[in-house]
Amino acid sequence: QSELVLLNKNILPKQPPCTPFTPASPVRSVVSCDDGAQIMKELTAIGDVGVIPAVLAANDNQDSHIPDVITSTDYSSLPQNLQLHVNALRIEASLGAMKQLLARLMSHLAHNRKGTFNEPVDYKAFGLVDYLTVVKHPMDLGTVKKTLYSNSYLSHEHAADDIRLVFRNAMLYNPPSHPVHEAANHLLEYFESNYTTIANTNSDRK
């Protein structure tokens, strides 16, 4: 993979000639050949040489399980720009886990079989004249997906807030006895029970 050219050629002699790497995430800057070599030098010194290629390799395959490669190593001794870069890698790993959880919510057979929560509520088509009066900040899982895959979330917490908003809006507008309210409640509980693992894992790494 081209991402692996971040590695210093002195560490892995068989790597192709180095070319600058431009990451997809807005929280990461372009990594030059020299910066890439410096990152690997610094991470090697603190025993965490595997973090960059492992996370990038995981991100190449969005459907694959994100490996637990971001450790709780103390990066405070690194230069600030390298600290920011490593922190960004942590964010990308946590967002990878959020993509998997979001996919399960969008295809949930019991409570989202018809994709009720996957698109914006068409309040005009349904004649819901008071919808925007009750729901101040509309949100849907499809919008969350677009934001997530465009690397616009800066943390898994931000993505989690939007997912919660989808279901809380549905519960706010629809009475407790309404099937949409009930489905939203079940999906919110499902989300929270699965999100706890993601939140705890990334809390341990801080």
Side-chain angles (χ1 to χ4, degrees):
Q1 297 292 329
S2 60
E3 289 85 350
L4 297 185
V5 299
L6 282 173
L7 298 172
N8 189 319
K9 64 180 180 180
N10 292 326
I11 299 175
L12 290 181
K14 295 183 179 180
Q15 291 297 315
C18 183
T19 56
F21 166 59
T22 304
S25 173
V27 298
R28 294 167 62 188
S29 59
V30 174
V31 180
S32 68
C33 299
D34 290 339
D35 287 341
Q38 179 65 16
I39 289 172
M40 295 309 300
K41 179 180 179 181
E42 297 285 353
L43 293 179
T44 300
I46 60 175
D48 202 15
V49 69
V51 59
I52 291 178
V55 171
L56 291 176
N59 287 342
D60 283 342
N61 184 355
Q62 302 294 354
D63 295 327
S64 66
H65 173 66
I66 302 298
D68 187 19
V69 295
I70 310 297
T71 69
S72 57
T73 304
D74 181 11
Y75 295 107
S76 60
S77 62
L78 294 178
Q80 185 177 14
N81 66 318
L82 299 187
Q83 290 184 42
L84 291 173
H85 191 79
V86 172
N87 185 60
L89 290 171
R90 287 174 167 175
I91 293 173
E92 288 189 18
S94 68
L95 292 182
M98 291 297 289
K99 290 175 182 178
Q100 297 174 25
L101 178 52
L102 177 63
R104 295 201 297 272
L105 290 169
M106 296 185 74
S107 60
H108 199 285
L109 293 178
H111 304 298
N112 196 21
R113 183 165 53 89
K114 296 182 179 180
T116 303
F117 304 98
N118 296 352
E119 297 180 357
V121 173
D122 192 348
Y123 57 90
K124 292 183 179 180
F126 290 111
L128 309 177
V129 295
D130 62 341
Y131 185 79
L132 294 183
T133 302
V134 177
V135 178
K136 302 299 183 182
H137 303 286
M139 184 56 62
D140 63 278
L141 297 181
T143 297
V144 174
K145 181 178 179 179
K146 290 178 182 178
T147 307
L148 191 56
Y149 277 82
S150 65
N151 299 298
S152 297
Y153 287 120
L154 298 184
S155 72
H156 61 84
E157 290 95 342
H158 292 163
D161 287 342
D162 276 354
I163 291 174
R164 293 186 181 105
L165 185 59
V166 174
F167 304 128
R168 288 172 178 169
N169 283 347
M171 295 167 67
L172 175 65
Y173 189 80
N174 298 281
S177 59
H178 196 283
V180 172
H181 183 113
E182 294 177 350
N185 186 44
H186 284 298
L187 287 174
L188 181 58
E189 291 178 353
Y190 176 83
F191 169 73
E192 295 293 359
S193 65
N194 285 273
Y195 176 66
T196 298
T197 302
I198 298 173
N200 290 342
T201 299
N202 286 277
S203 175
D204 292 341
R205 291 167 179 168
K206 294 181 179 179

